[in-house]
Amino acid sequence: MSTHPPVPMVDLKAQYARIREDVDRAVLDVLASSQYIKGEEVARFEQEFAAWCGAARAVGVANGTDALTVALRAYGVGPGDEVVTVANTFIATGEAILLNGARPVFVDVDPVTCTMDPAQVERAITPRTKLILPVHLYGHPADMPAIAAIAARHGLPVLEDAAQAHGAEIGGRRAGALGHAACFSFYPGKNLGAYGDAGAVVSSDAAFLDKVARIANHGGGVHKYDNVLLGTNSRLDTVQAAVLRVKLRHLERWNAERRAVVEAYSRALADVPGVVLPTERAGCRSAWHLYTIRVPERDRVQAHLAEKRIATAVHYPRPIHLQPAMAVAGGKAGDLPVSERLSREVLCLPLYAELPLATALRIAGEVRAACAAVASA
Ligand SMILES: Cc1ncc(COP(=O)(O)O)c(C=O)c1O
């Protein structure tokens, strides 16, 4: 048994300890204001987050899944339509498409960045294709210039699933300003996380975001009981907006601290036989939401680390085209060889801004020992 304290995947208590006074005050201010739905905190957060992304405007919604679902609805995606996306993602990407009555058309991913392989996109486009939905997985931006070029040839919008990519960049432009619009999640463990569920749609297309805002608020028009579109209740909670405003001020520094952990891992693991380390494509900056290595015998390496009380995670153990919930999309084993292989090999190591570099080095040492033990067994 290890004498070291257990290492979690993320440590939200450690983060809260750094900002406690400001968060407590912001939450108490909302409670005192009695403005619990919408109001200034939400509007300010929407402005500040859009500016942070380099986009004109953001609309806060209840969570990242709703951000995708409502955005697709605002594009008019519905029955008979197809959306080209990836299966190497969280289930929500596919759910949002199916919940709108459309069909996800899954393409494979690039094995290095684990994001949409542009070479596969063109042949997945049919006359029914309504848009392209790449995912910036683990915080690494999808190859947006190549995807945008294909989309432009076919007159299709590109919607970014940026749920894991707060601060990801291509050529100095951030996620949120890389496609026509972008959907963010502020699930607590994300780089920018609320203290509950929250999400946002970001874009510089004012008319589109206006539609998103209406759909997310019962299709509302100018007056409260003026319901012009079929909508839903998916508003960003005011308390969450207040928390997010405090945290947004720290996001740049926290992302830099994550990067320092990543660099420590990558230096320490550079020569471990059989292990493939995550990298950044030229011109790209990952938001480093997750540090995901590829390792043969993944489950045995994970078990070794668990014995040392080091938490790890597998994002994701099954590509979503093989999830029973996606069966109507008609996916079968063998369709997407890279995604399917990644699901057997990927292993995410603990990564958060407060993770001491000495702990990262110890974890790397345990990964090395685990790989050696597995190789010699
Ligand atoms: C890639 C991706 N898309 C969508 C979502 C959905 O976000 P939420 O959990 O806020 O609904 C997530 C969240 O984990 C995600 O990782």
Side-chain angles (χ1 to χ4, degrees), residues 68-94:
L68 288 163
T69 308
V70 169
L72 290 177
R73 195 171 177 82
Y75 283 112
V77 170
D81 293 332
E82 294 175 353
V83 175
V84 177
T85 190
V86 290
N88 186 38
T89 182
F90 182 59
I91 191 75
T93 315

Side-chain angles (χ1 to χ4, degrees), residues 4-37:
H4 295 284
V7 186
M9 272 299 288
V10 292
D11 188 347
L12 296 178
K13 280 189 185 158
Q15 189 197 58
Y16 177 52
R18 299 172 84 179
I19 52 171
R20 182 178 198 138
E21 258 181 49
D22 289 347
V23 167
D24 289 3
R25 193 177 328 110
V27 169
L28 289 174
D29 283 351
V30 175
L31 301 191
S33 77
S34 83
Q35 177 77 62
Y36 306 133
I37 301 287

Side-chain angles (χ1 to χ4, degrees), residues 8-374:
M9 272 299 288
V10 292
D11 188 347
L12 296 178
K13 280 189 185 158
Q15 189 197 58
Y16 177 52
R18 299 172 84 179
I19 52 171
R20 182 178 198 138
E21 258 181 49
D22 289 347
V23 167
D24 289 3
R25 193 177 328 110
V27 169
L28 289 174
D29 283 351
V30 175
L31 301 191
S33 77
S34 83
Q35 177 77 62
Y36 306 133
I37 301 287
K38 302 282 245 179
E40 270 186 23
E41 284 300 301
V42 171
R44 285 200 190 122
F45 173 69
E46 288 173 338
Q47 275 161 17
E48 290 162 4
F49 187 63
W52 196 86
C53 295
R57 195 182 151 199
V59 172
V61 294
N63 53 66
T65 309
D66 278 6
L68 288 163
T69 308
V70 169
L72 290 177
R73 195 171 177 82
Y75 283 112
V77 170
D81 293 332
E82 294 175 353
V83 175
V84 177
T85 190
V86 290
N88 186 38
T89 182
F90 182 59
I91 191 75
T93 315
E95 281 173 337
I97 298 166
L98 283 168
L99 285 171
N100 276 295
R103 193 171 83 86
V105 175
F106 296 114
V107 298
D108 217 344
V109 295
D110 171 271
V112 176
T113 63
C114 305
T115 64
M116 181 177 272
D117 180 356
Q120 315 245 342
V121 172
E122 189 105 46
R123 74 181 90 111
I125 293 174
T126 75
R128 290 180 296 280
T129 307
K130 197 82 183 212
L131 61 82
I132 304 176
L133 176 49
V135 180
H136 305 320
L137 199 74
Y138 310 144
H140 193 289
D143 187 350
M144 295 297 285
I147 295 166
I150 298 165
R153 276 204 293 283
H154 295 269
L156 298 170
V158 182
L159 174 65
E160 309 169 61
D161 182 338
Q164 303 187 5
H166 318 71
E169 285 180 23
I170 300 181
R173 284 166 75 113
R174 282 190 173 149
L178 298 173
H180 175 259
C183 296
F184 286 88
S185 163
F186 306 118
Y187 182 81
K190 299 293 199 238
N191 291 34
L192 178 62
Y195 287 166
D197 278 310
V201 183
V202 173
S203 178
S204 291
D205 179 340
F208 171 77
L209 275 193
D210 201 46
K211 204 165 171 196
V212 167
R214 285 167 188 256
I215 293 170
N217 194 16
H218 298 294
V222 180
H223 304 294
K224 187 170 179 187
Y225 296 110
D226 186 13
N227 308 107
V228 294
L229 293 170
L230 182 60
T232 184
N233 177 355
S234 182
R235 297 176 294 241
L236 172 60
D237 186 281
T238 311
V239 170
Q240 301 305 342
V243 171
L244 288 165
R245 286 191 71 210
V246 171
K247 287 195 174 192
L248 183 59
R249 301 201 288 270
H250 301 276
L251 183 54
E252 198 141 345
R253 178 158 55 99
W254 290 344
N255 277 355
E257 289 169 351
R258 296 176 93 94
R259 179 173 290 274
V261 174
V262 164
E263 284 166 3
Y265 273 144
S266 290
R267 269 196 305 276
L269 292 169
D271 59 349
V272 179
V275 172
V276 179
L277 302 182
T279 55
E280 289 166 310
R281 191 201 302 275
C284 295
R285 275 172 82 80
S286 176
W288 291 113
H289 175 56
L290 289 165
Y291 187 86
T292 307
I293 62 172
R294 288 173 60 186
V295 57
E297 303 286 350
R298 185 264 320 280
D299 294 347
R300 290 168 65 195
V301 171
Q302 185 174 35
H304 176 105
L305 293 170
E307 253 173 50
K308 304 290 175 187
R309 302 197 296 169
I310 296 168
T312 55
V314 173
H315 292 253
Y316 295 90
R318 191 190 287 193
I320 67 171
H321 70 298
L322 301 180
Q323 289 288 2
M326 296 286 126
V328 289
K332 53 185 188 321
D335 283 352
L336 304 172
V338 178
S339 301
E340 291 168 35
R341 179 160 181 208
L342 288 172
S343 70
R344 294 188 292 274
E345 296 184 350
V346 292
L347 184 66
C348 311
L349 304 183
L351 179 57
Y352 46 94
E354 299 76 17
L355 184 69
L357 295 184
T359 307
L361 294 179
R362 182 170 68 78
I363 294 168
E366 293 296 352
V367 171
R368 180 184 293 276
C371 291
V374 165

